[in-house]
Amino acid sequence: MRIQTTDRLFAWERLEDSPGLATCRQFLELLPDAKLLAALHAWRGKGRNDYPLAVLWRVHLLRYLLRHPTMEACLAELDRNPALRKLAGIEEVRHVPDAWNMSRFAAVLGQPAHHGLMEAMFQELIRRLAVAVPDLGVRVAGDSSALSARPDRDPKQVSLPQPDGGRKEYTDEAGQVVKAYEWFGYKFHLLVDVRHEVALAYRITPASTADVTEIPALLRQAQAVLPLNPDGSGRIQTLAYDKAADDGNTHELLAQAHIKPLIENRALWKSEFERMLPGHDGNSNVVHDEAGTIYCYDKVSDPPVRHKMAYLGYEKSRGTLKYRCPARHEDWACPSDKKCNGCSAYGKTVRVKCALDLRRFPPIPRATKEFERRYKDRTAAERVNARTKLFWGADDGNITGASRFHAHLDTIMLVHAGFANLLAMAPRHEGKSLSPVRLSVIAQRLQDAAAPAA
C-alpha cells in the first residue's frame, strides 16, 4: 500500500485488490492470536497433526487477505506460489491442505469458545486504534445488513443461532409498503465511527431479529474498547441510526450514557396532526408534532397561521430545549405579537424538558439543520457494510452451517480491524518521492502497541 500525505488517516480507497507478501506478513504479525492458537491446540489435544493448526489458521486468513472468492482458489495459489507457501509455514506443495481440511477447520473456528476469542482479537485491535486516535468513536453510526446463509444439516447439534427468514419493507410518506426484500440467513449489526469508517462493534443474529434489540449489546462493546475522556465521561457523543432504533428504551439508554441520539422517528400517530405541549393550555398557542417540532399559532389571523418557533439550543444544565417567538427572532411582524409577547422586548420563550419524552424531544431536535447535517453521518455505516459485503465477500450465500458462517464473518471483521491498523501505521509518501516521510505520531503509537504481538 502506498499512502500519500494528503490521504486521510484511514485511506480505505488505497487498499490493494491483492496485497503483496510484505503486507500479508505485516498483517499476520500484527494479530494478537496467541490465545486462539492455544485454545485450538487444547481442542485438538493428542489428535492427528497432519496439518499444524498454525498453518491452517494462516491459510484461512490468506483466503480473506488475498480476497479469493473461494478457499479452492486460495489453495490453488498456494500450489503455484512458493513464497506464499513459505509465508503460511508450508515447506512443500504436498503439505498444502485440501479444501475439506479447511472446511472442517472453519467449523471448528466458529465454535462458541473460539468465536469469543476471535471477537476478543477484534476488540484488542480496535482498542489499540482508540488509544492512538483521540477522536475515534466520538461520532458513531449504526446499521444492519442482510446476509444469506444455509442452515446446519442437524441444527440440534449446534449451540450457535441458526439462520432464519427475514423481511424488510420500504414505505412511502403515506405509510404504504412500496418495496419489500426477503432473505434467508443472518442479520449483521454494526456500530461505526463516522469520520474514519472503522467498525467499533458488531453482532451476528438470525435474520428475524429486530435491530433495536441489539443496540444495548453493541453499545456495551463499543464502550469497552473506547477509553474514557480525562473527565471520566464516555467518548461517544452522538449516535446516528435509522428509524429501526426509534424506541423508548433506546432513547433512555442513550440518555443515561449522555449520548445524543440522531434517530429518525417512526410515524405512530394515525389520526392526530399535532398535540398540545405538556404544561400548556390553549391560550399559550404552543403545540408540537410527532417529530417533536415546536410550533406557535397566530390566532389573530383568519384562518389561524402556524409558525415554527425559533430553536435557540440545548440547555444542558436544565435538560431543556429553548425556543423563542419566531417573529421577534427573525424580525418580522406578527398579528399576534401583542397577545403573545405583551410588553416583553425579547419575546415569548418556551423551554421544553427532554425528560417529558426522550424519544420526542432529543437534545438535538429533528427539525434543525444540525440534526440534518449530523444524521447524514449514518451513511458511513452503510459504506462499511458495503465494503464488508462486496469488497471482502461477507454475503457469500454458499456457506453451510452456523459455525462456518460465524468463522467467516469473524475473520472478515479481523481483516477489517487489521487493515485499519495497517493504514494508520503506514508511512506517508509526499508527491512522487520514493522515500517515505517520517512516521506520524499515531503511526508510531500503533507500532509501539503492536510490538509485543510481533
Side-chain angles (χ1 to χ4, degrees):
M1 295 181 292
R2 185 176 178 85
I3 313 296
Q4 305 294 335
T5 55
T6 54
D7 289 331
R8 52 183 178 166
L9 180 61
F10 297 93
W12 297 106
E13 66 278 2
R14 296 292 185 181
L15 289 180
E16 302 161 313
D17 287 338
S18 183
L21 288 174
T23 302
C24 292
R25 182 179 296 106
Q26 190 178 7
F27 177 91
L28 294 174
E29 292 172 350
L30 179 73
L31 285 183
D33 54 6
K35 290 183 179 179
L36 175 64
L37 290 174
L40 290 171
H41 281 292
W43 170 84
R44 175 174 279 185
K46 297 182 179 180
R48 292 177 58 178
N49 195 34
D50 296 345
Y51 300 103
L53 287 167
V55 170
L56 295 177
W57 170 236
R58 289 199 165 199
V59 171
H60 176 80
L61 287 171
L62 285 173
R63 180 221 158 163
Y64 296 91
L65 287 175
L66 301 175
R67 298 183 59 225
H68 285 297
T70 63
M71 179 54 71
E72 287 80 0
C74 179
L75 297 176
E77 183 167 355
L78 284 170
D79 283 341
R80 62 178 180 266
N81 191 333
L84 190 62
R85 286 200 302 272
K86 185 177 180 180
L87 180 62
I90 301 173
E91 297 296 333
E92 302 179 18
V93 176
R94 60 190 180 90
H95 292 152
V96 175
D98 294 320
W100 68 270
N101 297 121
M102 298 309 304
S103 178
R104 291 184 62 184
F105 178 74
V108 172
L109 202 58
Q111 292 178 358
H114 304 147
H115 165 65
L117 289 171
M118 293 182 73
E119 282 188 332
M121 290 167 59
F122 168 82
Q123 292 169 1
E124 174 60 26
L125 291 173
I126 299 302
R127 190 175 291 110
R128 292 179 189 174
L129 286 175
V131 171
V133 185
D135 64 344
L136 184 71
V138 173
R139 292 156 49 205
V140 173
D143 195 19
S144 67
S145 182
L147 298 177
S148 301
R150 299 177 181 179
D152 286 280
R153 293 181 175 86
D154 187 4
K156 296 181 180 180
Q157 301 297 322
V158 182
S159 58
L160 291 168
Q162 293 292 317
D164 63 8
R167 176 183 172 88
K168 186 172 183 179
E169 296 180 347
Y170 300 87
T171 58
D172 57 17
E173 295 181 356
Q176 301 296 320
V177 177
V178 295
K179 179 183 175 183
Y181 174 69
E182 296 181 349
W183 78 99
F184 186 89
Y186 289 94
K187 189 179 281 187
F188 182 45
H189 308 263
L190 275 178
L191 276 191
V192 173
D193 177 89
V194 301
R195 179 179 181 186
H196 302 298
E197 297 182 12
V198 173
L200 304 176
Y202 71 96
R203 296 275 292 172
I204 308 168
T205 65
S208 60
T209 305
D211 290 12
V212 71
T213 62
E214 298 305 310
I215 292 178
L218 286 170
L219 195 58
R220 285 195 300 270
Q221 290 180 24
Q223 290 171 328
V225 300
L226 296 173
L228 297 176
N229 294 323
D231 60 359
S233 61
R235 183 178 287 189
I236 302 176
Q237 294 183 5
T238 62
L239 171 63
Y241 219 106
D242 60 17
K243 63 179 67 177
D246 187 30
D247 171 79
N249 294 333
T250 300
H251 283 273
E252 185 175 350
L253 175 68
L254 296 179
Q256 292 173 355
H258 304 289
I259 298 172
K260 296 178 180 179
L262 301 165
I263 300 174
E264 186 180 0
N265 72 309
R266 292 178 293 138
L268 300 178
W269 292 0
K270 301 303 181 182
S271 58
E272 295 176 278
F273 179 68
E274 61 189 26
R275 290 179 182 176
M276 192 72 64
L277 189 67
H280 290 252
D281 56 25
N283 295 323
S284 66
N285 304 342
V286 179
V287 298
H288 71 89
D289 64 9
E290 188 174 12
T293 308
I294 306 299
Y295 299 92
C296 63
Y297 268 99
D298 164 23
K299 292 185 177 181
V300 174
S301 300
D302 187 19
V305 180
R306 191 178 77 163
H307 300 285
K308 185 167 71 173
M309 296 195 72
Y311 173 63
L312 298 187
Y314 172 63
E315 300 172 314
K316 185 176 181 181
S317 59
R318 296 184 176 185
T320 58
L321 306 173
K322 184 178 179 181
Y323 294 87
R324 184 189 179 197
C325 168
R328 291 293 180 90
H329 188 73
E330 299 168 12
D331 193 22
W332 50 270
C334 175
S336 291
D337 184 85
K338 185 175 181 180
K339 180 179 179 180
C340 294
N341 300 322
C343 299
S344 172
Y346 187 74
K348 185 171 185 173
T349 300
V350 175
R351 285 183 169 88
V352 182
K353 285 189 174 295
C354 296
L356 286 174
D357 190 338
L358 293 172
R359 177 173 167 265
R360 193 86 61 210
F361 305 112
I364 303 178
R366 294 184 177 90
T368 60
K369 291 189 179 297
E370 182 183 8
F371 182 92
E372 294 177 2
R373 183 178 68 253
R374 294 196 180 194
Y375 184 72
K376 294 178 182 178
D377 290 346
R378 197 178 61 83
T379 58
E382 296 174 347
R383 286 191 291 273
V384 175
N385 259 330
R387 196 174 293 125
T388 303
K389 294 175 67 173
L390 303 178
F391 190 82
W392 279 308
D395 197 16
D396 183 276
N398 293 317
I399 297 176
T400 300
S403 297
R404 291 184 179 87
F405 186 87
H406 280 71
H408 172 66
L409 206 52
D410 285 337
T411 308
I412 288 175
M413 295 310 297
L414 276 178
V415 171
H416 167 83
F419 271 115
N421 276 262
L422 292 182
L423 288 171
M425 291 167 59
R428 304 277 162 150
H429 298 263
E430 187 170 358
K432 298 182 179 179
S433 172
L434 297 178
S435 301
V437 300
R438 184 178 301 176
L439 288 176
S440 66
V441 174
I442 290 176
Q444 190 61 58
R445 288 175 185 169
L446 288 170
Q447 291 202 2
D448 292 342

